[in-house]
Amino acid sequence: MNISRTFLAAPAVGIAALLLTGAPAMASGSDAGSVMGELTPVPLNDAPGSGDAMIEVEGTTLSFTLAYDGLLAEAPHAAHIHYGEDTMNQCPTADADEDGSGTINTSEGAPFYGDIVVSLTTEGDTSPDSGLAVDRFGVGDDVSYSRGDVEVTAEVAEDILSGESVVVVHGVDHDGSGAYDGDTESDLDPSLPTEATDPALCGVVQASQMTDVPAGGVDTGQAAVGGADLALVGGGAAALVAGGALLVARRRTATDS
């Protein structure tokens, strides 16, 4: 079984520099702030990629920027924010491989990072119901996109601001065939190969501070994939999107060097 989708990446746009440093979250109250995290390969799955995630929360509205590279080209990569009160709230270790297969599937990772609380889709629904909406996630080996005005419950917003939520990007080409295939079925959807849903990149998102925001912020717009015409929202979330553009630019600079 092979799964692939065409990905048209728009060129990155220049946005004024925004300094990102680990510090207490910028907030106008206890229900507002920002978190960010570096995404690294899940042990044993050894996906040859890396990424970053930034999330701004204002009340029950969040905005996010997600960027990653090095994953399977021309293939969809589902991405989510995970959280669980009774989980470890961290990325899986090699000990997660309970069945001894030598890789970690989603169910084995869940005790570490919890259930889906937000699906980081490029458009449309962002609830856990869209966890496998492969037509609405980033596609390819060099992806960046942002969204604003994502509504969540007060509980989910609080969980994200707690600094214990985990962003996971899925999709691993274990056998190096260049496609999601193989005889092992996904533990989430038996119609898919496990490669399509196994966790590839993971990172805990924690408090951050952003400064030197361009005066006046940026205008409201629509979500876009590829680094141009990013989802633009007002207030603190505008700073998040500008920061996301810088984040993407820095990642590309590091990759090119």
Side-chain angles (χ1 to χ4, degrees):
M1 179 182 302
N2 298 334
I3 300 175
S4 64
R5 308 188 68 84
T6 302
F7 175 59
L8 302 178
V13 294
I15 299 182
L18 188 70
L19 301 180
L20 308 177
T21 57
M26 177 180 65
S28 59
S30 60
D31 60 348
S34 58
V35 293
M36 63 184 297
E38 180 181 1
L39 309 182
T40 58
V42 172
L44 299 184
N45 291 350
D46 295 329
S50 62
D52 295 277
M54 304 176 64
I55 305 166
E56 175 81 13
V57 180
E58 294 186 5
T60 58
T61 302
L62 66 84
S63 305
F64 69 83
T65 294
L66 178 65
Y68 57 85
D69 57 30
L71 299 184
L72 181 60
E74 299 184 3
H77 296 279
H80 320 98
I81 303 173
H82 293 256
Y83 180 82
E85 290 187 1
D86 299 324
T87 61
M88 303 178 196
N89 301 117
Q90 66 181 54
C91 292
T93 65
D95 293 337
D97 179 23
E98 294 184 352
D99 63 6
S101 65
T103 61
I104 297 172
N105 63 28
T106 300
S107 296
E108 291 173 327
F112 288 80
Y113 47 67
D115 295 329
I116 298 172
V117 294
V118 179
S119 295
L120 300 178
T121 55
T122 58
E123 61 182 1
D125 178 59
T126 57
S127 75
D129 292 340
S130 290
L132 289 178
V134 294
D135 59 332
R136 292 188 287 112
F137 286 109
V139 178
D141 57 354
D142 187 3
V143 173
S144 64
Y145 60 96
S146 297
R147 288 193 65 178
D149 297 329
V150 175
E151 290 299 323
V152 297
T153 66
E155 181 179 7
V156 167
E158 182 179 355
D159 292 341
I160 292 172
L161 290 175
S162 72
E164 295 183 334
S165 294
V166 181
V167 171
V168 181
V169 180
H170 300 259
V172 184
D173 183 17
H174 291 299
D175 59 9
S177 68
Y180 294 148
D181 53 20
D183 296 331
T184 304
E185 298 177 347
S186 166
D187 54 319
L188 300 183
D189 182 346
S191 70
L192 301 174
T194 191
E195 290 188 342
T197 58
D198 283 356
L201 304 177
C202 179
V204 179
V205 286
Q206 299 179 324
S208 64
Q209 183 180 39
M210 298 181 288
T211 58
D212 290 355
V213 180
V218 286
D219 295 331
T220 301
Q222 299 295 322
V225 178
D229 297 330
L230 300 176
L232 305 180
V233 291
L240 173 79
V241 175
L246 178 62
L247 178 152
V248 173
R250 286 179 174 174
R251 287 185 54 75
R252 288 179 175 170
T253 299
T255 302
D256 294 339
S257 61

